[in-house]
Amino acid sequence: MASKRTHVLIIGPQGSGKGTQAALVAPRLGLVHVATGDLFRALMASEGALAREVRSYYERGALVPDDLTVRVLLSRLEELDRCDPDYRGVLLDGFPRNRAQAEALDAVLRERGDELVAAIHLVVPRDVLIERLSGRLVCQQCGATYHRTFNPPRQPGICDRCGGPVIQRSDDTPEAIARRLDIYEEQTAPLLDYYRQRGLLIDIVGDRPIDEVSRAILAALAPRLGA
Ligand code: AMP
């Protein structure tokens, strides 16, 4: 039986920098970055009925149904247990996105005997989010993110990190962006109180340089992770 894990969530609207920050701080904290959006993008790269089903939600900017999302997350956690029995915990990015998922997560953690120690909330105004999302570019191969104007790859269309193709995400269209931000306000933002009431929520100002945000997250988490 593996030892008890300590997990952290990162919550914020699309474009608030969750993926960027999670990728930067997770290794510094000894946590594994687990993003449900990345799990779905990997799944969609395969063929078959499941990939088609996920694509039908993803490309509209709609949420994938909860039961499927929870199954995909659980299978990733089980894979980590098998491949890396000593890992400390995960930094969950993009999950939970609604109350049903938050309750499913509580049940999973209870069953595993794991603990959630903090929920990082990235706070960014809506106009900044839209500006960031409409110029966002991602590497199709390694998931690194760029921005057409604020942070372009050194060679256009080619990832600095792995040389893979840098493209616009299929759900970063104006319609899908508006829909995803609305879903966040309606379904995900109410979770902030859910975690605040339990003393887990930590607000971090996300509208400032990337390394300043990372430093603030690391400083806030250090006492909770005993780092
Ligand atoms: P993200 O990369 O986190 O912006 O997620 C991209 C898309 O993946 C979302 O718009 C949804 O279609 C799907 N997705 C990611 N995480 C979840 C989740 N927790 N629940 C349902 N759908 C999700």
Side-chain angles (χ1 to χ4, degrees):
M1 173 75 193
S3 59
K4 175 172 154 174
R5 320 280 189 203
T6 49
H7 305 294
V8 174
L9 307 178
I10 185 158
I11 302 187
Q14 289 68 19
S16 58
K18 294 189 302 292
T20 302
Q21 292 300 332
L24 286 169
V25 303
R28 307 269 304 269
L29 296 163
L31 299 174
V32 180
H33 177 198
V34 173
T36 42
D38 289 346
L39 298 178
F40 288 134
R41 281 183 283 279
L43 218 160
M44 287 189 299
S46 62
E47 287 305 320
L50 194 57
R52 276 197 301 279
E53 187 187 347
V54 169
R55 209 173 287 129
S56 73
Y57 297 101
Y58 183 99
E59 292 194 337
R60 280 184 292 131
L63 291 188
V64 176
D66 294 335
D67 55 343
L68 175 54
T69 304
V70 172
R71 259 191 292 140
V72 166
L73 174 67
L74 263 180
S75 85
R76 177 67 182 130
L77 293 181
E78 284 161 9
E79 181 182 49
L80 284 171
D81 288 338
R82 279 195 309 275
C83 302
D84 185 4
D86 295 327
Y87 85 97
R88 176 184 203 172
V90 297
L91 178 51
L92 258 184
D93 158 11
F95 186 97
R97 267 184 154 82
N98 58 31
R99 181 68 182 234
Q101 292 183 7
E103 288 172 0
L105 178 65
D106 286 341
V108 167
L109 298 184
R110 228 179 357 259
E111 176 139 328
R112 294 167 56 93
D114 289 0
E115 192 185 359
L116 181 65
V117 294
I120 296 289
H121 171 214
L122 290 181
V123 184
V124 177
R126 187 168 170 124
D127 55 332
V128 176
L129 298 172
I130 292 176
E131 192 179 38
R132 284 184 180 179
L133 288 167
S134 35
R136 179 161 73 173
L137 300 169
V138 293
C139 171
Q140 216 170 5
Q141 198 161 284
C142 74
T145 55
Y146 299 91
H147 188 281
R148 220 185 284 288
T149 318
F150 307 134
N151 176 29
R154 279 193 293 273
Q155 271 183 280
I158 298 173
C159 180
D160 296 350
R161 201 159 76 184
C162 77
V166 171
I167 55 155
Q168 182 165 45
R169 268 171 55 162
S170 60
D171 62 342
D172 278 345
T173 59
E175 302 74 33
I177 288 172
R179 174 192 278 257
R180 283 153 60 217
L181 290 175
D182 289 344
I183 293 176
Y184 177 82
E185 285 308 323
E186 284 158 25
Q187 301 194 33
T188 311
L191 294 182
L192 300 174
D193 272 342
Y194 185 78
Y195 292 113
R196 205 184 304 274
Q197 278 160 12
R198 288 156 61 180
L200 293 174
L201 200 78
I202 302 172
D203 292 314
I204 300 281
V205 176
D207 184 16
R208 52 185 166 155
I210 291 175
D211 57 332
E212 265 182 46
V213 179
S214 304
R215 276 201 301 275
I217 295 174
L218 290 169
L221 286 177
R224 306 219 180 188
L225 285 164

